[in-house]
Amino acid sequence: MRIDIVSLFPEMFSGPMACSILGRAQSAGLARISVVNPRDFAADKHHIVDDYPFGGGSGMVMKPEPFFSCVESLVSELPPPRSRIILMSPAAPRFCQSDALRLSQLEHLILLCGHYEGVDERVREYLCDEALSVGDYVLTGGELPAMVVTDAVVRLLPGVLGAEDAAALDSYAAGLLEYPQYTRPRKFRELEVPTVLLSGNHAEINRWRRQQSLQKTYELRPDLLESAELSPADRKFLDLLRCGNDKRSN
């Protein structure tokens, strides 16, 4: 996969893009990540990329020309299929795990990072395929969201994580939060690992993990249960949790 990030601050990406999973994915040839500065595509001699908003108001708005010229240059370098162009914006649908999976199946992503007061709306309407937000808050620019999207997408590429089922066991991958994880030592400051994980009974371990996943989701993100695929055993366990909570509240 190729990911091009369009940002006024390419230096922000040098560390995160070279470390850990992202660094290994690029070294292995599984992903190619580059950062392009839209200032290099500004038409005037001063490379101006922002201007005052029409109609008045505070702050500056990023101009459309540098974005259009930059993206057109990037797209012209590649044969079909067409690239997916995404604007990182707080005024957009929230990025989630299903989006990461969807985008990981594409060959080329272009992530546009806004800055200042925002981006000329014509970029969103006529250049981008979609816009994504990483949460209900406002950041200084789109750089950190672009890093989040890149990390979430690249780790889903075949071969990146090593273990075949590693990504499939993540939180949200199956619509639920992941079960608790433990490692050595077995006892730490009088805190012990749950006995079932030491039993060697894989059926019991799997049942415990499923129930722990259901319980954590029920307690922390009950909204996820509305769309999760639940078996009759799952529903019975959740009913027991609800009954227990009802008794404690009475």
Side-chain angles (χ1 to χ4, degrees), residues 38 41-43 62-70 72 120 122-123:
F41 294 84
M62 293 189 71
K63 295 162 64 68
E65 303 100 308
F67 277 118
F68 273 79
S69 296
C70 180
E72 287 164 358
D120 187 293
R122 288 167 289 188
V123 173

Side-chain angles (χ1 to χ4, degrees), residues 24-42:
R24 293 202 297 271
Q26 293 176 84
S27 297
L30 300 174
R32 175 186 168 188
I33 304 169
S34 63
V35 186
V36 186
N37 195 330
R39 200 178 296 278
D40 296 335
F41 294 84

Side-chain angles (χ1 to χ4, degrees), residues 141-163:
E143 284 74 19
L144 293 177
M147 294 178 197
V148 169
V149 170
T150 298
D151 187 286
V153 168
V154 169
R155 67 189 307 279
L156 294 179
L157 298 178
V160 168
L161 293 182

Side-chain angles (χ1 to χ4, degrees), residues 7-153:
S7 166
L8 290 173
F9 302 96
E11 62 274 14
M12 290 183 63
F13 294 87
S14 58
M17 297 297 106
C19 296
S20 187
I21 297 296
L22 293 180
R24 293 202 297 271
Q26 293 176 84
S27 297
L30 300 174
R32 175 186 168 188
I33 304 169
S34 63
V35 186
V36 186
N37 195 330
R39 200 178 296 278
D40 296 335
F41 294 84
D44 67 294
K45 64 178 181 179
H46 298 295
H47 301 286
I48 295 174
V49 295
D50 62 329
D51 208 334
Y52 294 103
F54 281 120
S58 61
M60 304 291 280
V61 176
M62 293 189 71
K63 295 162 64 68
E65 303 100 308
F67 277 118
F68 273 79
S69 296
C70 180
V71 168
E72 287 164 358
S73 175
L74 291 171
V75 171
S76 69
E77 298 174 8
L78 296 172
R82 185 174 177 273
S83 308
R84 188 77 177 170
I85 305 161
I86 302 171
L87 176 66
M88 308 311 305
S89 169
R94 190 183 303 172
F95 177 73
C96 62
Q97 188 67 22
S98 61
D99 292 312
L101 180 59
R102 169 175 61 88
L103 298 178
S104 72
Q105 297 169 358
L106 304 178
E107 294 184 10
H108 185 212
L109 299 178
I110 299 177
L111 307 180
L112 307 185
C113 302
H115 220 76
Y116 308 123
E117 189 61 24
V119 177
D120 187 293
E121 186 65 16
R122 288 167 289 188
V123 173
R124 180 199 292 259
E125 287 191 24
Y126 301 107
L127 180 63
C128 295
D129 296 300
E130 63 181 299
L132 290 172
S133 165
V134 294
D136 299 337
Y137 46 84
V138 178
L139 297 170
T140 303
E143 284 74 19
L144 293 177
M147 294 178 197
V148 169
V149 170
T150 298
D151 187 286
V153 168

Side-chain angles (χ1 to χ4, degrees), residues 162-182:
E164 290 290 330
D165 60 348
L169 298 177
D170 287 339
S171 289
Y172 304 108
L176 301 174
L177 301 185
E178 188 179 10
Y179 51 79
Q181 298 275 16
Y182 297 87

